[in-house]
Every structure is written in C-alpha cells, then in structure tokens.
Amino acid sequence: MTARILDGKAVAQMVRAEVRAGAEALAARDVRPGLVVVLVGEDPASQVYVRNKDKAAREAGFEVRTVRLAATARQAELEAEVRALNAVRAVHGILVPLPLPKGLDADRVVRLIDPAKDVDGLTPENVAALAMGRPGLRPCTPAGCIELCDRHAIALEGKDVVVVGRSMLVGKPFALLALERNATVTIAHSRTRDLAEHVRRADVVVAAVGRPALVKGDWIRPGAAVLDVGINRLADGRLVGDVDFETAKERAGWITPVPGGVGPMTIAMLLANTLQAAALQTGNSLPARTRSVASTS
Ligand code: NDP
C-alpha cells in the first residue's frame, strides 16, 4: 500500500482563501485585522517564519508589522513593548516567536500578552481554555494538524492517537484537541519505555520531537494516518521530519510530507486566529467556515 498524501500546501491555500474572504467581510465594516510580530534577535528559523508569515498576512488583507529588538534587548524593554501593543486597538494579534535569546524569560513575556490577542494560543488563559474545553485561541501547529485531518475526513473519534512529544507548543495541545474530538490519546516522550510498541497500536500518529527518522516505517500500523510535525535540516541541506517517510508511506493510509505538510498549516492557522481575534475584539461575527478549529472549542 502507498499512503495518500496529506497535502498541507493545498489545505493551507484553502484556509487562507477563507481567511481572506473573512478579512474582506470585516473590511466592509471598517476593520482590518492587525498582526504585530515582536522578533528578538537573529534566530534563523524565526526569521524565515516571520518572512513567510508576513507575506501570507499581507495577501490575506491584514495590516502586519514586525518590531525588531536586538538579541541584547533587556527583559524590561521586551515587556514594555508587549504592554504597549496590548493597549493599541488596531493590533488584534501579537506574536513573539520563540525561542528567545539567552537571558530573556519567555514565560514572563508570554504571560503578559493580552489573551484576546494571543494568536499563538500560549498564554495561561488560552491553555486553560483548551484544557477545559472552552472557547479560546488554540496553538497554531496542533490546530493545523486537526484541520488537515478534518479536511481529509480523517475522524478522530474513538481512534487510538499516539502523540510523540509533549511540548506546550505542539504535543500537549494536540493531545487535548484530539481528546476533545473523543480520541483515546497516548502522549509519548523521551522517557517512554517502548515507543515502537505504542506507535504500532496507533490509528493516528503525530510526531513532534525534532529528530530525523525517529519513527520507523515498520512501526506504522497499516492504514494509519501519520502527521509529521518535525522539521530537521540534514547535513546535506535537506529538510526532513521525524518519521522515516520512505518506509512509512508504504504502510500508512495517510501521511504528511516534510516540507509541505504541517508547516504551511501553521501559518494558515495563525491567520485564522488573527482574523478570529480581530472579529471578537471588534464585536463582529464571521461566516461559519472562517470560524476555524483554531479558535473555537
Ligand atoms: P521540543 O523540543 O519543545 O519538544 C520535543 C519533545 O520531544 C519533548 O517532549 C521530548 O520529550 C520529546 N522527545 C525527545 N526525544 C525523544 C525520543 N527519543 N523519544 C520520544 N520523545 C522524545 O520541540 P517542539 O515541540 O517545539 O517541536 C518539535 C518539532 O516540531 C521540532 O522539529 C520543531 O522544529 C518542529 N515544529 C514544527 C512546526 C511546524 O510548523 N511544522 C511548528 C513547531 C515545531 P521530553 O519532554 O521528555 O524532553
């Protein structure tokens, strides 16, 4: 069997077109979604993410701006920037790409972001909302994984879902989103005793670790859906995920490529979150399709 591809590029295009339509609906009411990225230092992955996001946000009709602070910026300076943005009405979404340079306390910065503007879904208020099944802004990457499943009619209800990785950014929130969809969820991590055994039982595998080919093809249950969140650059310059794609695709029913799978969905969901945040902050409602999984429970 050769797996069908979960085409993140194509689905992201659809989501982005819907976001654009939503932004047009808001524009008719004199609201332009505003997103500000506070980029600290020169982290290369963050720089690329910011460039791609910038372009996508402009195409969606958003007002987008990047505030750049030097890697040597002090905590107080960064916090003052976030506080100031919280107070600007035209700014509906604030994003602080992580990791921050050494010496800066990311936790404190994230906690300062107004939860209504927290388009990354990382503030304690939004994390609690997700855990409690209440409406809130959901983290973009795991929300993108759910959206990919939804748009390929991969139901999670009753399924065994194994999430490899337990970060606050991907693993944990994905597990909660899958639980919300009535999946039976296992979260594996670096201390998990027999990872292969867990993966072998999974109907859906989500790999979010950051280690090339950690998940072997012969671990995949025939017909399973495999979502590979990992992004790893090999010595020869190639980008690969955490799953051994070539062997896994011979057993899986569905699989995401890297690049072109989960990555494009992260940006699409960031736009969906910003649109939703703008609508909520301005007392507007959006057409049903643009009220994406990213923002509602
Ligand atoms: P973190 O480093 O925060 O978390 C990695 C997780 O993997 C940890 O929970 C860790 O366990 C677990 N882990 C490490 N080694 C193993 C192992 N041998 N077996 C099982 N689990 C292990 O990473 P992120 O969640 O932030 O990111 C994960 C990957 O996803 C990275 O490659 C990142 O670049 C990529 N990414 C991609 C995005 C996209 O848009 N496609 C967006 C965000 C991230 P423990 O907790 O025990 O240490």
Side-chain angles (χ1 to χ4, degrees):
M1 173 203 279
T2 298
R4 282 171 287 179
I5 296 294
L6 285 165
D7 187 345
K9 265 195 200 158
V11 175
Q13 282 300 340
M14 278 184 233
V15 173
R16 284 164 59 171
E18 290 163 8
V19 167
R20 192 178 166 76
E24 280 163 9
L26 287 187
R29 287 168 247 163
D30 285 331
V31 175
R32 188 165 183 212
L35 174 65
V36 175
V37 183
V38 182
L39 185 60
V40 191
E42 308 281 328
D43 180 66
S46 298
Q47 303 263 0
V48 172
Y49 177 55
V50 166
R51 255 202 317 276
N52 293 343
K53 171 232 38 108
D54 225 73
K55 185 166 169 279
R58 278 180 219 290
E59 280 169 15
F62 293 6
E63 181 76 44
V64 53
R65 183 159 65 88
T66 302
V67 174
R68 289 174 193 273
L69 298 182
T72 51
R74 284 171 303 121
Q75 181 82 22
E77 193 184 339
L78 175 55
E79 291 184 8
E81 193 62 58
V82 170
R83 277 202 194 86
L85 291 170
N86 279 343
V88 179
R89 279 182 60 187
V91 174
H92 306 108
I94 302 170
L95 186 69
V96 183
L98 305 178
L100 293 176
K102 272 210 169 63
L104 293 173
D105 183 341
D107 249 27
R108 274 186 57 170
V109 175
V110 168
R111 269 188 274 129
L112 271 183
I113 299 173
D114 178 347
K117 300 187 178 189
D118 167 30
V119 284
D120 242 353
L122 295 178
T123 57
E125 291 81 358
N126 281 316
V127 173
L130 170 59
M132 297 167 89
R134 293 200 186 139
L137 293 162
R138 305 304 196 218
C140 304
T141 302
C145 292
I146 295 282
E147 195 76 27
L148 263 181
C149 290
D150 282 355
R151 305 236 183 183
H152 292 86
I154 298 169
L156 297 179
E157 177 144 349
K159 300 278 179 65
D160 280 319
V161 171
V162 172
V163 187
V164 192
R166 56 175 165 181
S167 70
M168 291 303 295
L169 196 62
V170 190
K172 276 186 200 166
F174 182 84
L176 288 166
L177 286 169
L179 200 57
E180 206 167 60
R181 298 299 183 91
N182 299 315
T184 303
V185 182
T186 302
I187 307 178
H189 46 77
S190 67
R191 313 286 174 89
T192 295
R193 225 182 301 133
D194 192 344
L195 182 61
E197 265 324 292
H198 288 285
V199 173
R200 280 197 176 102
R201 322 184 255 93
D203 301 305
V204 178
V205 183
V206 176
V209 173
R211 283 196 184 201
L214 173 76
V215 176
K216 315 293 178 224
D218 63 0
W219 298 1
I220 304 298
R221 179 172 169 171
V226 178
L227 290 107
D228 192 351
V229 180
I231 302 178
N232 308 291
R233 193 167 291 280
L234 300 182
D236 64 9
R238 272 186 306 139
L239 273 189
V240 296
D242 292 344
V243 177
D244 184 6
F245 182 83
E246 288 307 320
T247 53
K249 81 173 188 332
E250 297 308 321
R251 291 171 68 92
W254 292 98
I255 193 165
T256 56
V258 177
V262 175
M265 292 303 297
T266 297
I267 289 182
M269 300 320 278
L270 172 70
L271 300 182
N273 270 355
T274 306
L275 177 70
Q276 186 70 26
L280 284 172
Q281 285 164 51
T282 55
N284 284 294
S285 60
L286 291 166
R289 197 50 260 188
T290 46
R291 259 182 269 129
S292 91
V293 65
S295 334
T296 53
S297 70

